[in-house]
Amino acid sequence: MYERIKHLRESAHLTQKQVAQKLNCSQQAYSTYELGQRDLPTDILRKLAEIYNTTTDYILGLSDRRAP
């Protein structure tokens, strides 16, 4: 899951800081999600799915289908 959110961010050509701003959190907090040092709260998971136009199942690794 953590590698997927990093890959999605890099594919969208966004920095951690830009994603953190969209999520209303600090870059440091977002970094801990990508590194797997902190579990993704449900609200952050949902926002990430919206930002990247994908499903929460894809982010969680439950599906390989990226588009909703």
Side-chain angles (χ1 to χ4, degrees), residues 3-50:
E3 289 179 15
R4 284 198 181 196
I5 63 172
K6 181 178 181 178
H7 175 72
L8 286 166
R9 177 181 58 79
E10 290 174 343
S11 294
H13 306 288
L14 296 171
T15 65
Q16 286 186 348
K17 185 175 181 176
Q18 290 170 317
V19 176
Q21 289 172 337
K22 293 175 184 286
L23 298 174
N24 246 358
C25 69
S26 69
Q27 182 272 326
Q28 184 178 0
Y30 178 75
S31 176
T32 63
Y33 299 140
E34 276 195 11
L35 293 172
Q37 297 172 341
R38 196 176 193 188
D39 286 335
L40 280 173
T42 304
D43 62 322
I44 297 292
L45 176 63
R46 291 178 66 204
K47 287 179 185 177
L48 286 171
E50 289 176 16

Side-chain angles (χ1 to χ4, degrees), residues 49 52-55 65-68:
Y52 300 124
N53 192 32
T54 191
T55 64
R65 187 170 176 218
R66 187 170 169 195

